């Protein structure tokens, strides 16, 4: 905001579903009853199309500087709600994969991509909120006071989009925690199985260690049925331990 004019540059994302891949740059210069749009970089002429669309939004007889600026800025973010809805469905699909146990090796990379895109979009909409706020303040008296509500409408729209992005980022964080919880549960299950197996074979280790001591007076050392008896004892211990663990629901 300067004494008798306003100037700003905006980074415009051509496709908010791929926010970091396709970017345009547009500069706005405003004076009393003058709007100059400088298309600094426009790969697919989307900024030019948005500006032409904004010229036809209101009848020429009722067009004012405030309406034209609002119509142009609003045309940039007009379709972003649909894109954010698509993000929401894609994030919900990730959550469903976790609970259905269908997580693949690419899950972490997709989570990182979502997080990066949403962080970019949050900053993207903050710039529009800043522009709307500066225009609302009207420090240099460039706009009519009774027309400043157009800029408040635009500011509120950008703020809602930013809030939606923040909510989606929170959902991604919660999904990441759910994924980590799933990994912890799987690890605990594995450790539980290993613990049960170790508990079953621990008495067997004691039995074999006991009968493996070659003392002269060791009972059943020279008994011809010693091996079958020891094997039978081990089988009984194993079955008893399994039945006990199943009864206690430890396994």
């Amino acid at each position: 905001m300067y004494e008798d004019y306003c100037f700003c540059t905006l980074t415009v994302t051509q496709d908010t579903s791929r926010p970091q891949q396709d970017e345009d740059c547009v500069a706005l210069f405003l004076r009393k009853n003058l709007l100059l749009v400088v298309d600094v970089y426009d790969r697919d002429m989307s900024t030019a199309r948005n500006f032409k669309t904004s010229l036809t939004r209101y009848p020429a007889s009722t067009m004012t500087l405030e309406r034209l600026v609002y119509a142009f800025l609003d045309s940039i973010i007009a379709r972003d709600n649909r894109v954010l809805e698509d993000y929401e469905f894609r994030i919900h699909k990730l959550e469903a994969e976790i609970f259905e146990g269908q997580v693949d090796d690419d899950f972490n990379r997709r989570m990182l991509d979502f997080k990066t895109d949403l962080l970019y979009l949050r900053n993207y909409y903050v710039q529009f909120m800043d522009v709307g706020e500066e225009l609302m303040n009207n420090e240099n008296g460039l706009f009519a006071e009774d027309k400043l509500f157009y800029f408040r409408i635009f500011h509120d729209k950008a703020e809602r989009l930013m809030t939606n992005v923040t909510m989606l980022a929170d959902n991604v964080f919660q999904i990441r925690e759910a994924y980590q919880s799933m990994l912890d549960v799987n690890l605990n299950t594995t450790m539980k199985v290993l613990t049960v197996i170790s508990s079953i074979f621990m008495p067997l280790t004691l039995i074999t260690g006991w009968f493996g001591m070659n003392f002269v007076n060791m009972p059943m050392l020279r008994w011809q049925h010693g091996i079958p008896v020891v094997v039978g004892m081990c089988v009984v211990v194993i079955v008893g331990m399994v039945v006990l663990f199943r009864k206690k629901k430890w396994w």
Side-chain angles (χ1 to χ4, degrees):
M1 300 292 275
Y2 296 91
E3 184 175 354
D4 57 351
Y5 69 93
C6 303
F7 175 79
C8 75
T9 58
L10 292 171
T11 298
V12 180
T13 297
Q14 301 176 30
D15 185 359
T16 47
S17 63
R18 301 181 302 171
Q20 302 180 80
Q21 299 182 19
D22 300 314
E23 291 183 347
D24 293 337
C25 182
V26 59
L28 303 180
F29 178 83
L30 295 93
R31 296 190 66 175
K32 199 70 173 178
N33 297 322
L34 171 66
L35 169 62
L36 177 63
V37 178
V38 182
D39 213 353
V40 179
Y41 182 73
D42 189 0
R43 183 181 305 176
D44 61 349
M45 300 300 293
S46 59
T47 305
R49 289 195 300 270
N50 288 336
F51 184 71
K52 291 179 181 179
T53 301
S54 64
L55 290 175
T56 60
R57 180 161 180 171
Y58 299 104
S61 58
T62 62
M63 182 66 74
T64 62
L65 177 63
E66 296 82 7
R67 279 188 166 185
L68 182 57
V69 174
Y70 165 72
F72 176 64
L73 293 176
D74 186 60
S75 67
I76 297 176
I77 62 174
R79 295 171 293 276
D80 290 2
N81 266 322
R82 186 179 299 273
V83 176
L84 295 184
E85 288 178 2
D86 180 63
Y87 268 106
E88 186 174 1
F89 286 120
R90 289 161 60 191
I91 292 173
H92 177 72
K93 184 179 178 180
L94 285 180
E95 188 175 12
E97 289 179 8
I98 293 176
F99 289 103
E100 293 173 3
Q102 299 177 351
V103 178
D104 55 21
D105 296 335
D106 199 38
F107 186 84
N108 280 324
R109 186 194 62 79
R110 287 185 290 158
M111 290 285 292
L112 180 61
D113 290 342
F114 273 121
K115 183 179 178 181
T116 304
D117 288 349
L118 294 174
L119 176 61
Y120 180 93
L121 287 175
R122 182 183 181 279
N123 295 330
Y124 177 67
Y125 292 123
V126 165
Q127 73 166 341
F128 289 113
M129 291 174 58
D130 290 340
V131 170
E133 189 173 1
E134 288 291 336
L135 294 176
M136 277 191 303
N137 290 335
N138 195 25
E139 295 179 5
N140 51 15
L142 195 63
F143 308 107
E145 291 293 332
D146 59 342
K147 299 293 192 302
L148 293 179
F149 68 90
Y150 286 110
F151 304 138
R152 174 165 293 281
I153 293 174
F154 173 75
H155 175 274
D156 291 344
K157 287 184 177 182
E159 186 176 24
R160 283 195 296 271
L161 289 171
M162 192 272 291
T163 301
N164 290 340
V165 170
T166 302
M167 293 175 60
L168 291 175
D170 291 339
N171 289 341
V172 170
F173 179 75
Q174 292 173 3
I175 291 175
R176 184 179 179 183
E177 287 189 333
Y179 176 61
Q180 187 61 46
S181 298
M182 184 196 70
L183 294 179
D184 293 340
V185 169
N186 292 339
L187 179 61
N188 290 337
T189 302
T190 302
M191 295 301 297
K192 182 179 180 180
V193 172
L194 293 176
T195 302
V196 169
I197 293 175
S198 299
S199 300
I200 290 175
F201 283 94
M202 194 177 299
L204 304 185
T205 304
L206 175 61
I207 294 173
T208 55
W210 182 14
F211 286 98
M213 296 184 293
N214 297 321
F215 294 124
V216 176
N217 296 322
M218 174 63 67
M220 299 184 295
L221 183 62
R222 300 183 183 277
W223 188 29
Q224 61 178 348
H225 302 297
I227 293 179
V229 170
V230 173
V231 171
M233 188 185 304
C234 292
V235 172
V236 170
V237 170
I238 291 176
V239 173
M241 296 285 286
V242 171
V243 171
L244 177 63
F245 286 174
R246 296 292 292 181
K247 185 177 180 181
K248 296 291 187 180
K249 297 182 180 180
W250 295 342
W251 188 22

